[in-house]
Amino acid sequence: MGDLMTKEKWILAVLGIMDLTLVIMHYTDYVLLFFKPTGYIIPLVLNILVLSVIAFKSKLSKVWTFAILFVGIPILLFHGFIVLWLDNKYTEIVNPTSQQSLVIEYRHATLGETTYFYDFYKTNFGFVGKHLDDQSISIIVRDYSSSIDSESILGLGKEEWVTTNTVRFFTRQGMKDVDLSLSQ
C-alpha cells in the first residue's frame, strides 16, 4: 500500500509540474503550438482522468470522484464548444535562411462585413512559440465574393522574408511587416 501512495504522489507531482509549466508559459506569452488547435483539451482531460482515478482508488469517499467528474466534464464540454465555435486555423511560414519560423493563428467573424483576425507566434524549435505582442492584426472586408478567404486576405503564399527577423505580407489593406525580434 505504501508503494501505491508513492506512485500516486509521483503522478500528482508530475501533473502539478505540467500544470505549473503551462501556467507559467501562459503568463509569459509562450505556448506549446501542438496544443493550440485543441485549446489545451488534452491537459484538461489528463487532469480530470488522473484526479478521478486517484480519488476512486483512495480511501476518500467516492463522492469526490463523482464531484470531480460532475464539475470537470461540463467544463470540458463548454471549453470544447468554445474551441469549435472560434474555429481557429494555423499555418507556419519557415524562414529559408535560418531555423526560425512564424506560426499564424487566424479566424474570421461575419456580422454584416467580415473581420479577419491574425495572431503571430515566433518559434525556433517548432513546438514552442512566443506570442508576438502588438503584432496581431485584424482586417475588415465588405466584399462578399466567395473567392475571398483568410489566406488570400493576409496574402499567404506571397509573403517574403525581408530580413531574418521580418516577414512582409501583402494584405488586402496594404503591406504589413511582422517583426519577430520585437518579442525578445
Side-chain angles (χ1 to χ4, degrees), residues 14-27:
V14 169
L15 189 65
I17 290 169
M18 179 192 74
D19 291 343
L20 182 64
T21 302
L22 290 175
V23 168
I24 290 171
M25 287 180 75
H26 172 76
Y27 284 111

Side-chain angles (χ1 to χ4, degrees), residues 172-183:
R172 187 147 177 153
Q173 292 182 339
M175 282 192 301
K176 164 67 176 164
D177 289 344
V178 176
D179 189 355
L180 280 67
S181 64
L182 292 179
S183 68

Side-chain angles (χ1 to χ4, degrees), residues 3 34 39 51 54 60 106 114 116 131-132 142 161 180:
D3 190 53
F34 56 89
L51 292 175
I54 289 174
L60 293 174
Y106 58 95
T114 304
Y116 296 88
H131 185 258
L132 298 173
R142 289 177 179 83
W161 288 87
L180 280 67

Side-chain angles (χ1 to χ4, degrees), residues 1-103:
M1 191 67 162
D3 190 53
L4 181 62
M5 281 304 284
T6 21
K7 286 180 185 177
E8 288 175 353
K9 287 180 183 177
W10 276 103
I11 291 171
L12 284 174
V14 169
L15 189 65
I17 290 169
M18 179 192 74
D19 291 343
L20 182 64
T21 302
L22 290 175
V23 168
I24 290 171
M25 287 180 75
H26 172 76
Y27 284 111
T28 57
D29 281 336
Y30 282 92
V31 294
L32 293 174
L33 294 170
F34 56 89
F35 281 151
K36 266 312 258 179
T38 65
Y40 289 91
I41 287 179
I42 295 169
L44 287 171
V45 168
L46 191 62
N47 274 280
I48 291 171
L49 285 176
V50 167
L51 292 175
S52 297
V53 168
I54 289 174
F56 186 74
K57 288 186 170 192
S58 73
K59 294 179 183 177
L60 293 174
S61 166
K62 302 302 180 225
V63 172
W64 282 106
T65 305
F66 294 115
I68 291 169
L69 292 173
F70 185 73
V71 170
I73 290 175
I75 289 172
L76 260 177
L77 291 174
F78 179 73
H79 181 70
F81 172 74
I82 295 297
V83 169
L84 285 174
W85 181 64
L86 288 177
D87 194 31
N88 292 342
K89 293 180 178 48
Y90 300 86
T91 191
E92 181 179 18
I93 301 171
V94 179
N95 186 336
T97 61
S98 73
Q99 60 180 318
Q100 73 179 348
S101 61
L102 180 69
V103 173

